[in-house]
């Protein structure tokens, strides 16, 4: 029985020619593809920026004395001229009262001198007073007027000095930390608090000098959040005319209206857009690497069959899940983006249909900026 069964098996595996039959070829593997087309690519650099307030001041008193009253609390928004802190002004108030009393006295003396001059002038016209008496009366009027002006100036001076005892906000903004307490003695160099205006901020960025050579005043700058999302966009208004001699970095600045609640002195991610251009972009999923050399599997027709051809490529910076193609591919090439590890050069494939709008059908449109490899703090991408 064993002999008959073995013979039957041999007979089943031998053809008419007496040679073993060739195994059936595997069916073509289905793959997803993208068609390459030029899209906008941005040459960018990401750096650490510092936010500066266009209006920020440390508030100091202009007089010495004890803190008598604190009108504000830290973080409070104030308008221009709002009282912040009041310094004891009892001595200055007494000096003002004294100056006012002296002024009132000189006003009385002036009025008396004017009446005396009027009577003397009338007597002089009737010949009952001498010219010398008239001149003396006129001199008394002029002296009284000078004394009145002097005391009036002293009153004004005391009034101005008294105003210094109430420290007011120089402009509208937000109050910082209040550094003094009730009863503290302060002088002209004692910091009281700070007021910062955060509606319009500046972002200051230091960039390498070789990258700064291509910057222009209208270069775009983007402020990013921790996830790389663009919060605010503005353009440069300042590029330093010289580099820092110690760091060889060039300071650049942009101003923007603060609509997202950023704060002065905050450190943020900032991205400079050096230039824009059109280039092909290859999805990161479509890249196969062998010994460090990147390849792309291009789908093409050959001998009536659809096959993949492994093609070496030169890649640029990595953007949003896509590399910039420097060379090796051309517009219109169809590249496989799935099952790459199971494909070999020349393997037959079948293009897998995708739903309209799926990522496998469309060409990436994001630029170099925004990806994890867009740029470093020491230079932009290329």
């Amino acid at each position: 029985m064993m002999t008959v069964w073995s013979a039957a098996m041999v007979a089943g595996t031998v053809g008419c020619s007496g040679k073993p039959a060739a195994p059936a070829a595997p069916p073509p593997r289905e793959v997803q593809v993208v068609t390459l087309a030029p899209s906008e690519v941005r040459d960018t650099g990401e750096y650490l920026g510092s936010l500066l307030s266009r209006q920020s001041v440390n508030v100091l008193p202009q007089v010495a004395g004890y803190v008598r009253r604190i009108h504000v609390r830290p973080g409070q928004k104030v308008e221009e001229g709002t009282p912040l802190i009041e310094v004891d002004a009892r001595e200055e108030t007494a000096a003002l009262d004294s100056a006012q009393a002296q002024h009132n006295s000189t006003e009385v003396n002036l009025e008396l001198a004017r009446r005396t001059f009027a009577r003397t002038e009338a007597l002089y016209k009737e010949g009952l007073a001498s010219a010398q008496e008239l001149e003396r009366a006129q001199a008394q009027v002029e002296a009284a007027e000078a004394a009145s002006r002097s005391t009036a100036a002293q009153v004004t001076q005391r009034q101005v000095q008294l105003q210094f005892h109430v420290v007011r906000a120089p402009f509208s903004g937000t109050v910082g930390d209040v550094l003094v307490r009730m009863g503290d003695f302060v002088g002209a160099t004692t910091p009281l608090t700070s007021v910062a205006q955060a509606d319009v901020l500046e972002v200051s960025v230091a960039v390498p000098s070789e990258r700064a050579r291509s910057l222009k005043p209208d270069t775009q700058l983007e402020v990013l959040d921790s996830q790389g999302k663009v919060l605010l966009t503005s353009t440069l208004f300042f590029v330093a005319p010289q580099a820092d001699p110690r760091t060889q970095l060039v300071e650049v600045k942009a101003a923007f209206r603060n609509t997202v609640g950023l704060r002065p002195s905050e450190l943020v991610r900032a991205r400079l857009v050096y230039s824009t251009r059109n280039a092909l972009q290859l999805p990161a999923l479509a890249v196969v690497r062998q010994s460090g050399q990147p390849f792309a599997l291009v789908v093409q027709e050959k001998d009536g069959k659809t096959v993949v051809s492994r093609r070496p490529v030169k890649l640029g910076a990595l953007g949003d899940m896509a590399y910039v193609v420097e060379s090796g591919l051309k517009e219109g090439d169809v590249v496989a983006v799935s099952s790459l590890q199971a494909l070999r050069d020349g393997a037959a494939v079948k293009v897998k249909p995708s739903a309209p709008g799926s990522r496998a059908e469309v060409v990436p449109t994001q630029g170099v900026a925004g990806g994890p490899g867009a740029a470093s703090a020491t230079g932009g991408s290329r």
Side-chain angles (χ1 to χ4, degrees):
M1 292 297 293
M2 289 295 295
T3 304
V4 174
W5 182 80
S6 300
M9 290 296 295
V10 172
T13 58
V14 178
C16 298
S17 62
K19 297 180 180 180
R29 182 178 294 272
E30 286 190 343
V31 295
Q32 291 180 316
V33 299
V34 294
T35 302
L36 301 184
S39 59
E40 184 180 89
V41 175
R42 304 191 305 172
D43 180 11
T44 66
E46 186 173 319
Y47 309 93
L48 188 64
S50 176
L51 297 182
L52 309 172
S53 173
R54 283 198 150 185
Q55 287 187 312
S56 178
V57 64
N58 292 323
V59 180
L60 305 176
Q62 294 180 273
V63 294
Y66 292 95
V67 176
R68 189 173 184 180
R69 188 175 181 184
I70 298 175
H71 295 272
V72 294
R73 63 182 183 276
Q76 179 179 338
K77 293 185 179 297
V78 294
E79 300 295 328
E80 180 180 354
T82 301
L84 303 177
I85 293 174
E86 185 177 338
V87 180
D88 185 16
R90 288 175 292 181
E91 182 178 351
E92 195 61 39
T93 301
L96 175 60
D97 292 340
S98 176
Q100 187 67 55
Q102 291 179 3
H103 179 61
N104 293 338
S105 176
T106 56
E107 285 291 311
V108 172
N109 292 336
L110 175 60
E111 182 64 24
L112 177 61
R114 285 173 176 171
R115 290 179 182 181
T116 301
F117 175 73
R119 286 194 298 267
T120 303
E121 187 178 26
L123 293 174
Y124 176 76
K125 290 180 180 180
E126 294 177 1
L128 300 178
S130 65
Q132 185 179 4
E133 291 175 330
L134 180 63
E135 292 174 356
R136 185 182 298 111
Q138 185 176 3
Q140 291 176 348
V141 171
E142 293 175 353
E145 288 177 345
S148 177
R149 289 194 299 270
S150 175
T151 56
Q154 292 178 11
V155 170
T156 302
Q157 180 183 6
R158 293 298 181 182
Q159 289 174 340
V160 172
Q161 192 72 16
L162 184 62
Q163 292 177 358
F164 292 157
H165 286 260
V166 179
V167 181
R168 301 178 182 273
F171 48 80
S172 299
T174 303
V175 178
D177 188 18
V178 179
L179 304 176
V180 295
R181 297 295 179 264
M182 295 281 291
D184 287 351
F185 185 84
V186 298
T189 59
T190 305
L192 303 178
T193 183
S194 62
V195 178
Q197 191 259 17
D199 293 337
V200 178
L201 296 178
E202 294 179 1
V203 56
S204 174
V205 178
V207 302
S209 55
E210 64 272 11
R211 296 293 277 167
R213 298 186 190 112
S214 61
L215 292 177
K216 300 178 181 178
D218 59 348
T219 298
Q220 184 176 339
L221 183 143
E222 299 170 341
V223 177
L224 313 176
D225 63 8
S226 58
Q227 305 299 322
K229 179 182 177 182
V230 178
L231 295 177
L232 298 163
T233 302
S234 184
T235 56
L236 298 182
F237 72 88
F238 171 76
V239 179
Q242 61 184 16
D244 188 307
R246 295 174 299 172
T247 63
Q248 289 301 296
L249 299 178
V250 178
E251 183 185 24
V252 299
K253 291 183 180 181
F256 59 88
R257 186 162 295 279
N258 184 17
T259 59
V260 294
L262 298 175
R263 298 180 181 275
S265 301
E266 185 177 346
L267 297 178
V268 295
R269 293 171 62 183
R271 184 164 63 206
L272 284 168
V273 182
Y274 292 101
S275 63
T276 58
R277 60 190 176 102
N278 285 330
L280 298 179
Q281 297 182 72
L282 182 65
L285 295 176
V287 178
V288 177
R289 295 185 182 273
Q290 182 176 354
S291 301
Q293 170 65 49
F295 294 88
L297 297 178
V298 179
V299 178
Q300 58 187 6
E301 296 293 328
K302 184 177 182 181
D303 298 331
K305 295 188 300 182
T306 303
V307 298
V308 293
S309 175
R310 191 175 67 172
R311 187 177 301 176
V313 293
K314 181 180 179 182
L315 302 178
L318 174 64
D320 184 14
M321 303 299 294
Y323 288 96
V324 175
V325 178
E326 300 294 346
S327 63
L329 296 173
K330 63 182 184 300
E331 181 180 355
D333 281 344
V334 179
V335 180
V337 295
S338 65
S339 305
L340 301 186
Q341 300 303 323
L343 297 177
R344 297 294 181 265
D345 188 25
V349 295
K350 178 181 179 181
V351 176
K352 182 179 180 180
S354 303
S358 67
R359 189 170 183 86
E361 277 192 335
V362 299
V363 178
T365 57
Q366 296 294 326
V368 173
S376 66
T378 58
S381 63
R382 178 73 183 110

